[in-house]
Amino acid sequence: MEAVAEGLWGLADEFEKKGEIGKAVKCLEAICQSHASFLPIVEVKTRLRIATILLRHSHNVNHAKSHLERSQLLLNSIPSCFDLKCRTYSLLSQCYHLVGAIPPQKQILYKALHLTSAAAPDVSAKLWCCNFNSQLANALIIEGDYQNSISTLESGYVSATQICYPELQMFFVASILHVRLLMQWDDQTANEVERALQRCNQVWETMPSDRRAHCMGLLFYNELLHIFYRLRVSDYKNAVKHVDKLDAAMKQDSKSRGQLTRFTTTTTTSAGNDSLEPTYFGNAKRALQDKLFLAPPPINGEWLPKSAVYALVDLMIIIFGRPKGNFKECDKRIQSGIHIIKEELIKLGITDDVREVDLQHSAIWMAGVYLMLLMQFLENKVAVELTRSEFLEAQEALMQMKNWFIRFPTILQACESIIEMLRGQYSHSVGCYNEAAFHYVEAAKITESKSMQIMCQAYAAISYFCIGDAESSSQALDLIGPVYRMKDSFVGVREEASILFAYGLLLMKQQDLQEARNRLAKGLQIAHVQMGNLQLVSQYLTILGNLALALHDTGQAREILRSSLTLAKKLGDIPTQIWVLSVLTGLFQQLGERGNQMENDEYRRKKFDELQSRLADTRSSIYHIELIDKVKLQVQQFHEIDMKRTIADESMRVNLDIPESVGLSTPMPVPSSSRLVDLDTGRRGKRKL
């Protein structure tokens, strides 16, 4: 009978190679359903093969799970077969993960770890121990048990160290950094994050350079985690070198696409020994050349699919290029990233008419990854278009964000506050300050991020200042006063720069010009030295030039305003150009430079007319009222238990914690330069860079 089984295994292999999956499964199930008796080990191997095919080529997870559960029962009566038992436990754990059954997944993994602890401490047992610890850590993360997840990853690191496997050691220390950085970071754990970062550096440097060259998955994982850390602590300058390194690696990898990266571990692909990978690392159905392996078999897993990692690299280029005004490169990367993501969404079955409730459970996690990345790209597109006053383009991108959110409200729940904030930015950019303040306040209410709450309060305060009446100024003071008093507790510098700008406007309203100058000068230093945000620098320079003029320091005012105008032109930032030109007109008027005044004012009127034309087109758009309307997004929430359990998986937070790159806005233009010279800040504002 064993010869019959061998023949059916071989026939199933042929059918699988031809893509005839149904026939392959039928060949194998003929063994399980036969009235003739096969040895239990033959049935176990066959059911493992069926489960592997089903997981690789279909969404029939429950069918695969049934075969594996039967295999587990058969193996209970067999005293040996260590490798078969481990393979069964690993695949069964993946099935439980895919259907969202975390308690039974943990139970089977604890059983598997007990098996490895009782086995001889050889390389095979330690590798399986690493596999089970990695899956258990992820299950604990899903339940929000970060501390035990880290302890489990530490156990995996110990096993990797015992067999002197630096690639696996790096995998575990990077995973620990991931948990501490993206899921557990607070004021109390900041030191642990720093130590985890240094540990990654130490392990990576101990790996021979020739072995590092073959670990592309670990390279991307490690470098991206370093970038996320630098973003969290607002260390933008040191983050750039990691971004450049990733971009170069991505370009090199694209050139050599097709040459598979393999770890130096012997493995075969027979019916009895397929490499296994925890499904949470990515989609197991993709070709090998489309994967960035994090660890060797029997893990062979990914953090994210290669396409998602490539999209993340594009996103990093945008995040660091946009504040510097590198819009041409940003446009290219936004287009590239959105194209990659939409292709992957189609592969997951997400077409124009698909909504959240239509998704198969096994596709939810990966769909969430790509949808969150898509929203990040669209957010940056909105920001770029608002900066260069392309309001219609910004409208279109923001409406896309809104429509994606309405279709996938649970998966994209974290984006609701981002959309509200961007509605505020859009409203402010087109001069609708009441509506802008409303959306900023709503965004602050929705978000759980303290950083974003602070930023939105600052934005709302500036919008209230722009309204200009006494009641609005009082509302601005109510928002900005408490936040300013707690500014020393901020983690990053973005919040401080925003608060200093808003507080500077407040001091100007109160006619405390010298103190306003001091606060704004400090904010300028942060924007220039630590953030490198050209739009923010331009806006700070403009208001400081205005202050210098009010304090009769005309020499400094001229120098500052010319620098600001140069930056605003580079960015294509028309409102800031008009603002600077208005102040310069007032300067030339004070100095009696009639020729310069007339030339400058003529150019200002030209830019003003250009802006008014764009605003007229924007306000006539069918989307304009929908975006500024003081109504929260209305969506149908789907209360499906399995959906919520999957979305609650914190490991899905691929890049959700990348800080919003929010700069300070330019003001809307005023009809006369005299209001600016008189320090009426009612028309000055803030919008996203």
Side-chain angles (χ1 to χ4, degrees), residues 1-2 4-10 12 25-39 42-47 50:
M1 295 301 293
E2 288 189 24
V4 174
E6 290 281 359
L8 288 170
W9 286 346
V25 172
K26 285 182 179 179
C27 284
L28 297 169
E29 287 189 334
I31 298 174
C32 303
Q33 297 166 359
S34 173
H35 295 294
S37 62
F38 288 93
L39 293 173
V42 172
E43 185 176 347
V44 168
K45 287 183 178 180
T46 302
R47 291 184 184 277
I50 294 171

Side-chain angles (χ1 to χ4, degrees), residues 182-293:
L182 299 185
M183 301 170 194
Q184 203 191 26
W185 186 329
D186 55 34
D187 292 341
Q188 286 72 40
T189 61
N191 291 334
E192 284 83 354
V193 174
E194 180 65 32
R195 283 195 291 268
L197 191 80
Q198 295 304 321
R199 193 178 182 191
C200 281
N201 292 336
Q202 292 165 5
V203 174
W204 184 252
E205 291 302 321
T206 60
M207 291 175 61
S209 57
D210 58 329
R211 296 184 72 163
R212 287 204 302 264
H214 292 286
C215 298
M216 291 299 293
L218 282 173
L219 170 68
F220 279 90
Y221 190 31
N222 185 42
E223 292 297 325
L224 281 166
L225 289 174
H226 275 67
I227 292 169
F228 298 163
Y229 172 78
R230 296 298 169 193
L231 283 169
R232 287 293 297 270
V233 298
S234 303
D235 186 1
Y236 302 105
K237 289 188 176 179
N238 283 318
V240 170
K241 63 182 180 183
H242 295 285
V243 175
D244 292 341
K245 188 175 182 179
L246 276 183
D247 193 36
M250 183 175 73
K251 290 175 180 176
Q252 181 60 38
D253 187 59
S254 297
K255 288 180 182 178
S256 59
R257 197 178 182 92
Q259 298 178 355
L260 304 182
T261 299
R262 291 280 190 169
F263 287 93
T264 56
T265 299
T266 302
T267 184
T268 61
T269 55
S270 67
N273 189 24
D274 286 302
S275 62
L276 308 178
E277 59 176 287
T279 42
Y280 71 90
F281 285 122
N283 186 344
K285 302 177 186 64
R286 288 171 296 104
L288 289 175
Q289 63 265 32
D290 293 328
K291 296 187 177 185
L292 287 170
F293 290 115

Side-chain angles (χ1 to χ4, degrees), residues 1 20 40 42 44 51 57-58 75 83 86 130 215 250 260 281 304-305 328 410 450 456 509 581 584 587 606 662 683:
M1 295 301 293
E20 299 180 55
V42 172
V44 168
H57 300 289
S58 78
L75 286 168
D83 188 66
C86 288
C130 290
C215 298
M250 183 175 73
L260 304 182
F281 285 122
L304 293 173
K328 185 176 181 180
T410 314
K450 191 65 180 175
C456 287
K509 278 281 187 181
L581 290 166
L584 277 172
L587 171 65
K606 178 183 175 183
V662 180
R683 302 294 287 179

Side-chain angles (χ1 to χ4, degrees), residues 25 53 65 118 238 335 358 424 442 495 536 604 630:
V25 172
I53 290 175
K65 180 169 69 71
N238 283 318
Q335 184 178 5
D358 303 320
E442 286 301 314
E495 301 94 331
L536 195 50
R604 182 195 64 78
K630 293 199 286 187

